[in-house]
C-alpha cells in the first residue's frame, strides 16, 4: 500500500538551508532541498485511516512539543492506500523504503509497508525536533532505504540481568536509530534466563549463582553475594516480543550449545559427559564442561527449542556454537564411539555433527539457525547463517559458500570494549573500539565479489555484560557508538567525513540528555596518536572541539588554562609523561589524558612483522611495538598486539649501525582469556637485513620467572637490524580454559638500550 501523510500549512520560502546537512542519524540516502518552508502547526490533525500503532508512536514521541487531534474523516494528516502488482518481489530493504516530502503546504510520506511508514516517522520525528524552536522546516524531499537487511544490537543478560522495562528501553533505542534486530543472549555458563516449562530446574537452579567476579579479571576477586534467581517468564518474553514487533524490530533469541552450558548442566547434570556436580559459573570465560552429544541431550534441546520457537516468531534462532572446548569430548567414550560410528574426522567433526542435527530439527519447524563463526568447524550445516565475530574470515567463508552472514567482528562491533582513555573509563572487557573506529567499518569484505557480497546480510554490534553491572552502564557502553553502527548499517557512513558525523553526534546528545541517557562523553576527551619522528616519536593530539582549546604539559603535572596551547605534533625524544585536557571559556571541559613515553634506541624506527596480529588486537599495527608506549593490561586493544596461534617475528631497522646491550619486551598471561606467556624468545642481529645471527635465547622457565617482563642482557652489540622472534605457547593444554584451542600471545613495546 502507499502511505500519504498530508499536513497543510502556510507558504514561506527559504534558500539558505539548501547548502546544509540535517541533524539526522542515520543520514538518509538522498536529501534534496526545495524552496520554501513548512510551518509546524500548533495541532496536527490526524485522519482515521493512518496505521494505528505507528501513529500512536509518533504522538507519544512528540507529545511534549505538539498536540494531536483525531478525526474520522479527512484531516490535516491523510492516508491513501494502493496495492502493488502481485508479481512484485520485494527485498527486505524494499519493505523499509520510504519517501518523505516536506513542502510549504504539506508533509507527504510514501511507503509500501507499515515498516517503511514507521521508519519515515523516525526521520520526521528527528526533523521536527531539530526545528521545533523556529517552527520552520525547510522544504525537502527525502528518498531513503537501508543498504543492509540485518541491522542489529545484541544484549547479554546472563552475566548481568536486566529487567523487562530496561530491555524495552533498549529496544526503544534501536527503533530510534532504525536498527531492526534485537539479539537476546538468554543462556550461558553464568545463568539461564528464560523460563522453560518442561524443565523448571533451568530457572530454579540455573538462574542463580553463589557469587560474581568483580573488578578486573586478573584480580580474581569475588563479591561473595548470591546473584539471582533472575529470569524472564514466558509471559514476560511474549510482552517483550510484542513490544518489539510494534516497533518493527525482530527479536532473535540465543540458546547456547554445545558450549557455554554450565547453567543448564547445573540443573540437569545427566546432559554432560561427566557426572558433575556442576554449578553456574561465578567467573567469566570459557569452561570445559559442555553438552554431551547423546540422544538424551538432543531430546532436551529439542524440547527447549519447541518452547523457544513458540515464543519467538523470528526466522532465525541463534544456537551459539562458539568457544566449545573439546576436552570432555576427547575423554568421553560415548563421544569417541560417535566419532567412529559416523566416520567423523575428530572432535571438530563432532561439533559439526551436533550443529547439523540441531539445524535439521529447527528446519523441520520452519525456522533457520544462525550461530557464531565456530559453527563452521568441521563443515557448515546446509541452511545455516554465520555471525562472524572472531574477525571477517568466518563471514567471507560463509558468503563464498553461498551462506548468509552477519558481520560483527570484535575489532569494530564489540561495545564491551573501551571507547576512551582507560584511566577515565569504567572497567571494561578490554580492547579499544572508539566511535571513529565503529564508524569506519565496512561490513562487506574486500575479498568478496559482487555476487558473493549479496550474502552479507548485515551488521550487528554486541554488548557482553561481564563488567556491566546496571542499565546506566549499558547506556554508557552503547552510546554514542550505537549511532555510528546505525549509519554503517543504513549504508550512509562516510569515514572521510567523520568530523561531520561527529558534529551530528554531539547535536544528538541534546536528545539523549532529555531522555536521561547516561552516554559516554569520551568524544570530548583528548585523543593522542604517536608517529615516527627524528630521534624518537611525535605525539599528535586531537579533539572533537576547537583544537585551540587543548592545553598540555610535558613534566607530568596537571594541565591548566595557562599551560601550553597545542598547535602541532609534540616531538618526544626522551622519556616523559604528557598530560592534556580541553578548556573552553577558561573552564576545564574534558577529563585529563595522560600518556607516558619510554624512549629507547628502537623507538620510532621502521619495523616489519612476518605475521600480522589478529584484527581484534591490531590497533596501530606493527608501529605499536616501537611507539615508546609500554603496554597497559587494561588496554589490550590499544597498547598491545594480539596474535592467536601465531609467533611474533619482528624486524627493526635502526637506519644505521647502532650500539646496544639490552633488549626488552613484555608478554601477558591471562589464562581465563586464553592468553599465555610466550614459550621462548630469540634475538638476532644483522648488518644487511638478510643474514641474521642469533645472540640470545630464553625459554619458558625464564619467561615465567620474569612474569613476562623480559629484559635481556645481550652484550655489546653494533648492528643495523634487530630481529626478535617470540614463540606462541601453541595449543592450550588440558586443564586450562580453552583447552585444545590456539593460545593468544600478547606483546607490547620492543626496546633496545
Amino acid at each position: 500500500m502507499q502511505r500519504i501523510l498530508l499536513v497543510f500549512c502556510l507558504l514561506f520560502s527559504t534558500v539558505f538551508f539548501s547548502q546544509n546537512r540535517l541533524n539526522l542519524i542515520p543520514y538518509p540516502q538522498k536529501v534534496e532541498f526545495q524552496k520554501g518552508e513548512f510551518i509546524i502547526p500548533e495541532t496536527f490533525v490526524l485522519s482515521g485511516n493512518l496505521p494505528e500503532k505507528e501513529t500512536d508512536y509518533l504522538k507519544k514521541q512528540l507529545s511534549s512539543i505538539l498536540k494531536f487531534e483525531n478525526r474520522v474523516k479527512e484531516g490535516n494528516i491523510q492516508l491513501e492506500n494502493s496495492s502493488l502488482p502481485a508479481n512484485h518481489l520485494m527485498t527486505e530493504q524494499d519493505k523499509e523504503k520510504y519517501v518523505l516530502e516536506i513542502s510549504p503546504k504539506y508533509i507527504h510520506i510514501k511507503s509500501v509497508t507499515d515498516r517503511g511508514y514507521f521508519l519515515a516517522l523516525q526521520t520526521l520525528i528527528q526533523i521536527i525536533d531539530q526545528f521545533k524552536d523556529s517552527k520552520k522546516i525547510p522544504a525537502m524531499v527525502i528518498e531513503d532505504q537501508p543498504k543492509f537487511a540485518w541491522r542489529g544490537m545484541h544484549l547479554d543478560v546472563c552475566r548481568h540481568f536486566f529487567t523487562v522495562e530496561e530491555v524495552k528501553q533498549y529496544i526503544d533505542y534501536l527503533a530510534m536509530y532504525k536498527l531492526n534486530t534485537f539479539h537476546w543472549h538468554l543462556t550461558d555458563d553464568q545463568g539461564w534466563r528464560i523460563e522453560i516449562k518442561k524443565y523448571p530446574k533451568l530457572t530454579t537452579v540455573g538462574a542463580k549463582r553463589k557469587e560474581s567476579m568483580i573488578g578486573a579479571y586478573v584480580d580474581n576477586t569475588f563479591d561473595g553475594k548470591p546473584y539471582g534467581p533472575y529470569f524472564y517468564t514466558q509471559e514476560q518474553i511474549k510482552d517483550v516480543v510484542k513490544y518489539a514487533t510494534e516497533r518493527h524490530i525482530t527479536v532473535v533469541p540465543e540458546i547456547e550449545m554445545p558450549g557455554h552450558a554450565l547453567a543448564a548442566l547445573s540443573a540437569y547434570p545427566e546432559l554432560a559427559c561427566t557426572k558433575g556436580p556442576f554449578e553456574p559459573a561465578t567467573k567469566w570465560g570459557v569452561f570445559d564442561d559442555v553438552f554431551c552429544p547423546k540422544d538424551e541431550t538432543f531430546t532436551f534441546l529439542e524440547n527447549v527449542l519447541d518452547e523457544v520457537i513458540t515464543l519467538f516468531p523470528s526466522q532465525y534462532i541463534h544456537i551459539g556454537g562458539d568457544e566449545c572446548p573439546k576436552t570432555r569430548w576427547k575423554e568421553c567414550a560415548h563421544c569417541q564411539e560417535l566419532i567412529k560410528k559416523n566416520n567423523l574426522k575428530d572432535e571438530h567433526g563432532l561439533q559439526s555433527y551436533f550443529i547439523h542435527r540441531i539445524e535439521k530439527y529447527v528446519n523441520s519447524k520452519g525456522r533457520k539457525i544462525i550461530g557464531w563463526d565456530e559453527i563452521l568447524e568441521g563443515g557448515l550445516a546446509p541452511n545455516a547463517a554465520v555471525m562472524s565475530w572472531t574477525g571477517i574470515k568466518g563471514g567471507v567463508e560463509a558468503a563464498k559458500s553461498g551462506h548468509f552472514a552477519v558481520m560483527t567482528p570484535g575489532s569494530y562491533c564489540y561495545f564491551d570494549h573501551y571507547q576512551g582513555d582507560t584511566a577515565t573509563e569504567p572497567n571494561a572487557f578490554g580492547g579499544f573500539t572508539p566511535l571513529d573506529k565503529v564508524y569506519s567499518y565496512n561490513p562487506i569484505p574486500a575479498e568478496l565479489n559482487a555476487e558473493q557480497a549479496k550474502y552479507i546480510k548485515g551488521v550487528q554490534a554486541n554488548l557482553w555484560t561481564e563488567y556491566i553491572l546496571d542499565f546506566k552502564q549499558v547506556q554508557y557502553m552503547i552510546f554514542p557508538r550505537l549511532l555510528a553502527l546505525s549509519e554503517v548499517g543504513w549504508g550512509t557512513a562516510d569515514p572521510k567525513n567523520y568530523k561531520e558525523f561527529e558534529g551530528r553526534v554531539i547535536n544528538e546528545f541534546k536528545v539523549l540528555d532529555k531522555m536521561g541517557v547516561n552516554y559516554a562523553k569520551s568524544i570530548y576527551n583528548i585523543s593522542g596518536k604517536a608517529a615516527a619522528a627524528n630521534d624518537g616519536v611525535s605525539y599528535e593530539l586531537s579533539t572533537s572541539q576547537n583544537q585551540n582549546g587543548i592545553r598540555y604539559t610535558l613534566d607530568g603535572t596537571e594541565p591548566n588554562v595557562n599551560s601550553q596551547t597545542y598547535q602541532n605534533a609534540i616531538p618526544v625524544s626522551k622519556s616523559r609523561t604528557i598530560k592534556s585536557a580541553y578548556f573552553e571559556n577558561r573552564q576545564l571541559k574534558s577529563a585529563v589524558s595522560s600518556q607516558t613515553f619510554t624512549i629507547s634506541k628502537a623507538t620510532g624506527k621502521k619495523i616489519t612483522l612476518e605475521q600480522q596480529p589478529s584484527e581484534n588486537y591490531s590497533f596501530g599495527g606493527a608501529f605499536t611495538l616501537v611507539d615508546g608506549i609500554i603496554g597497559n593490561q587494561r588496554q589490550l586493544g590499544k597498547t598491545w598486539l594480539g596474535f592467536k596461534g601465531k609467533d611474533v617475528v619482528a624486524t627493526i631497522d635502526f637506519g644505521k649501525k647502532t650500539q646496544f646491550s639490552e633488549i626488552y619486551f613484555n608478554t601477558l598471561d591471562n589464562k581465563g582469556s586464553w592468553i599465555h606467556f610466550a614459550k621462548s624468545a630469540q634475538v638476532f642481529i644483522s648488518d644487511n637485513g638478510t643474514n641474521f645471527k642469533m645472540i640470545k635465547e630464553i625459554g619458558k622457565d625464564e619467561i615465567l620467572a620474569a612474569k613476562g617482563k623480559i629484559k635481556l642482557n645481550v652484550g655489546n652489540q653494533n648492528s643495523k637490524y634487530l630481529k626478535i622472534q617470540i614463540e606462541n605457547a601453541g595449543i592450550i593444554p588440558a586443564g586450562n580454559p580453552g583447552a585444545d584451542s590456539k593460545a593468544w600471545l600478547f606483546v607490547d613495546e620492543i626496546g633496545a638500550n
Side-chain angles (χ1 to χ4, degrees):
M1 68 190 125
Q2 182 186 55
R3 307 300 193 194
I4 300 179
L5 178 72
L6 297 175
V7 181
F8 294 98
C9 199
L10 298 175
L11 175 64
F12 283 85
S13 64
T14 183
V15 292
F16 75 93
F17 199 86
S18 61
Q19 306 302 318
N20 297 313
R21 298 264 285 183
L22 295 164
N23 287 320
L24 297 177
I25 297 177
Y27 208 78
Q29 298 289 350
K30 183 180 178 182
V31 179
E32 184 177 307
F33 291 103
Q34 310 282 329
K35 290 184 177 181
E37 294 172 339
F38 170 79
I39 305 302
I40 300 175
E42 289 295 325
T43 300
F44 278 81
V45 180
L46 307 175
S47 62
N49 61 342
L50 295 173
E52 183 178 355
K53 291 184 176 63
E54 291 77 10
T55 306
D56 284 347
Y57 179 90
L58 172 71
K59 291 191 287 186
K60 181 181 177 182
Q61 295 302 111
L62 295 178
S63 61
S64 64
I65 59 174
L66 289 173
K67 295 178 182 178
F68 292 89
E69 181 182 329
N70 291 309
R71 289 184 184 172
V72 176
K73 295 185 177 180
E74 204 172 272
N76 294 130
I77 299 178
Q78 300 177 354
L79 173 68
E80 292 183 11
N81 299 334
S82 65
S83 59
L84 289 167
N87 62 354
H88 182 80
L89 298 176
M90 288 190 293
T91 66
E92 289 302 307
Q93 294 94 313
D94 288 335
K95 295 174 184 177
E96 296 184 304
K97 183 176 182 179
Y98 69 89
V99 177
L100 170 62
E101 181 185 357
I102 300 176
S103 80
K105 291 185 177 181
Y106 54 76
I107 294 175
H108 189 162
I109 294 177
K110 299 178 183 177
S111 72
V112 295
T113 66
D114 286 352
R115 193 196 314 178
Y117 174 70
F118 183 74
L119 293 172
L121 292 184
Q122 295 294 357
T123 302
L124 180 60
I125 289 165
Q126 289 191 32
I127 290 173
I128 290 174
D129 186 72
Q130 180 178 345
F131 295 99
K132 64 181 182 296
D133 293 333
S134 70
K135 301 285 188 181
K136 300 175 182 179
I137 301 176
M140 68 186 81
V141 176
I142 295 175
E143 296 180 26
D144 204 14
Q145 74 179 90
K147 181 175 182 178
F148 294 104
W150 184 302
R151 306 180 305 283
M153 273 296 302
H154 154 287
L155 180 64
D156 164 23
V157 297
C158 302
R159 279 52 178 253
H160 285 98
F161 183 80
F162 305 98
T163 67
V164 167
E165 288 309 309
E166 289 168 340
V167 171
K168 287 181 176 180
Q169 275 186 259
Y170 199 82
I171 288 168
D172 281 337
Y173 302 151
L174 274 57
M176 281 177 64
Y177 299 105
K178 299 188 175 75
L179 301 179
N180 65 1
T181 305
F182 172 47
H183 175 174
W184 205 356
H185 185 80
L186 291 164
T187 75
D188 216 301
D189 293 301
Q190 293 80 12
W192 184 283
R193 305 295 181 211
I194 175 173
E195 178 191 22
I196 302 297
K197 294 186 182 297
K198 193 174 184 68
Y199 300 106
K201 286 196 291 184
L202 286 171
T203 46
T204 58
V205 175
K208 59 185 178 183
R209 56 180 182 259
K210 67 180 182 183
E211 61 183 356
S212 302
M213 179 174 257
I214 55 173
Y217 187 93
V218 293
D219 295 337
N220 200 35
T221 56
F222 298 84
D223 60 9
K225 300 175 183 177
Y227 191 84
Y230 297 127
F231 64 94
Y232 305 100
T233 67
Q234 293 200 0
E235 288 306 308
Q236 288 175 320
I237 295 280
K238 291 175 185 175
D239 181 39
V240 169
V241 170
K242 178 176 179 289
Y243 189 86
T245 301
E246 290 173 353
R247 286 150 182 77
H248 297 279
I249 289 173
T250 300
V251 184
V252 175
E254 181 178 359
I255 308 297
E256 275 275 14
M257 61 185 84
H260 288 292
L262 263 182
L265 298 180
S266 301
Y268 298 97
E270 63 272 18
L271 305 178
C273 292
T274 61
K275 294 182 180 180
F278 309 105
E279 63 178 8
T282 58
K283 295 182 72 169
W284 319 133
V286 178
F287 302 89
D288 286 341
D289 289 296
V290 302
F291 285 122
C292 185
K294 50 191 175 185
D295 289 342
E296 187 177 0
T297 300
F298 287 111
T299 298
F300 165 82
L301 290 172
E302 288 168 3
N303 289 334
V304 168
L305 288 169
D306 282 347
E307 295 193 32
V308 169
I309 287 170
T310 300
L311 292 168
F312 295 92
S314 56
Q315 179 186 26
Y316 286 98
I317 303 296
H318 203 299
I319 51 83
D322 63 311
E323 298 178 325
C324 179
K326 309 302 187 289
T327 305
R328 297 291 183 256
W329 289 359
K330 283 188 174 184
E331 300 166 347
C332 173
H334 168 77
C335 292
Q336 293 306 307
E337 180 61 29
L338 200 58
I339 290 172
K340 184 186 297 184
K341 178 182 176 181
N342 289 278
N343 296 315
L344 304 175
K345 185 178 179 181
D346 54 18
E347 289 75 24
H348 295 290
L350 186 56
Q351 168 138 336
S352 181
Y353 166 86
F354 194 113
I355 300 300
H356 274 70
R357 187 160 169 177
I358 290 296
E359 186 199 41
K360 186 176 180 180
Y361 186 78
V362 172
N363 289 168
S364 75
K365 301 294 181 178
R367 307 296 183 87
K368 297 178 181 179
I369 67 166
I370 186 169
W372 305 109
D373 47 46
E374 288 95 329
I375 68 171
L376 289 158
E377 290 179 8
L380 188 58
N383 302 306
V386 169
M387 195 163 273
S388 191
W389 76 277
T390 59
I392 66 169
K393 183 179 177 182
V396 169
E397 184 178 338
K400 285 185 174 181
S401 61
H403 289 262
F404 285 111
V406 175
M407 304 304 290
T408 179
S411 53
Y412 293 92
C413 298
Y414 268 43
F415 288 1
D416 55 336
H417 289 180
Y418 287 100
Q419 54 191 314
D421 187 345
T422 58
T424 59
E425 291 281 303
N427 196 31
F429 185 85
F432 182 61
T433 310
L435 182 69
D436 60 337
K437 188 171 185 181
V438 179
Y439 193 69
S440 72
Y441 183 53
N442 180 357
I444 298 179
E447 297 93 318
L448 301 181
N449 61 36
E451 189 60 32
Q452 294 164 342
K454 294 177 182 177
Y455 288 96
I456 301 300
K457 197 169 183 68
V459 63
Q460 176 175 295
N462 301 323
L463 189 66
W464 303 100
T465 60
E466 288 93 336
Y467 302 97
I468 299 177
L469 308 182
D470 56 37
F471 195 69
K472 281 294 183 184
Q473 198 170 350
V474 166
Q475 296 172 333
Y476 187 92
M477 299 306 281
I478 66 172
F479 284 112
R481 290 183 286 194
L482 184 146
L483 307 181
L485 175 77
S486 161
E487 202 146 296
V488 167
W490 201 257
T492 52
D494 182 4
K496 297 190 300 297
N497 291 323
Y498 169 74
K499 283 296 180 183
E500 185 275 334
F501 168 73
E502 195 176 64
R504 284 186 280 129
V505 168
I506 291 171
N507 184 78
E508 194 66 13
F509 286 167
K510 300 170 188 175
V511 176
L512 299 180
D513 284 334
K514 289 177 184 176
M515 294 170 59
V517 173
N518 179 42
Y519 57 89
K521 299 178 177 65
S522 316
I523 195 171
Y524 292 119
N525 293 344
I526 308 299
S527 60
K529 181 180 179 182
N534 294 331
D535 300 320
V537 294
S538 64
Y539 193 49
E540 181 180 338
L541 302 177
S542 63
T543 175
S544 60
Q545 307 301 296
N546 186 338
Q547 295 286 106
N548 293 329
I550 299 176
R551 302 289 185 269
Y552 70 95
T553 63
L554 300 175
D555 57 2
T557 59
E558 297 294 293
N560 58 50
V561 71
N562 297 316
S563 299
Q564 284 183 267
T565 300
Y566 177 77
Q567 294 179 323
N568 298 302
I570 305 164
V572 185
S573 58
K574 64 179 182 179
S575 298
R576 66 190 342 155
T577 296
I578 299 175
K579 291 191 175 183
S580 56
Y582 175 73
F583 291 81
E584 191 175 281
N585 297 324
R586 301 186 65 80
Q587 298 294 316
L588 178 65
K589 290 292 185 179
S590 73
V592 174
S593 296
S594 178
Q595 184 60 67
T596 297
F597 287 89
T598 303
I599 305 301
S600 80
K601 293 180 180 180
T603 305
K605 299 300 187 288
K606 181 180 178 181
I607 181 172
T608 56
L609 292 171
E610 289 189 11
Q611 300 191 83
Q612 297 307 306
S614 165
E615 187 181 12
N616 287 6
Y617 300 100
S618 60
F619 189 86
F623 188 73
T624 298
L625 299 180
V626 291
D627 63 3
I629 299 171
I630 302 295
N632 178 334
Q633 288 197 33
R634 297 185 71 199
Q635 289 183 317
L636 296 186
K638 187 176 182 182
T639 57
W640 299 75
L641 296 185
F643 300 79
K644 188 175 184 181
K646 297 178 182 178
D647 298 339
V648 174
V649 184
T651 301
I652 297 170
D653 180 355
F654 290 114
K656 62 182 179 181
K657 293 188 73 171
T658 300
Q659 293 183 343
F660 57 90
S661 59
E662 181 187 70
I663 301 297
Y664 63 82
F665 64 89
N666 295 334
T667 73
L668 282 180
D669 181 70
N670 186 343
K671 292 185 175 63
S673 297
W674 303 11
I675 303 170
H676 289 246
F677 282 143
K679 191 174 183 179
S680 68
Q682 298 86 35
V683 181
F684 305 82
I685 59 172
S686 172
D687 288 335
N688 59 16
T690 302
N691 302 313
F692 284 88
K693 177 179 73 172
M694 187 171 71
I695 58 172
K696 191 73 173 182
E697 182 175 18
I698 58 170
K700 183 177 180 180
D701 291 342
E702 292 169 279
I703 294 171
L704 186 62
K707 297 182 178 179
K709 297 180 180 180
I710 310 303
K711 284 189 177 182
L712 302 176
N713 187 330
V714 295
N716 294 322
Q717 304 295 334
N718 187 23
S719 67
K720 185 173 185 290
Y721 295 92
L722 169 69
K723 181 160 74 173
I724 310 289
Q725 185 165 315
I726 307 170
E727 186 181 5
N728 188 289
I731 300 299
I732 299 173
N736 291 280
D740 298 321
S741 298
K742 295 176 182 178
W744 282 92
L745 171 63
F746 275 81
V747 177
D748 78 336
E749 191 74 3
I750 298 174
N753 290 315

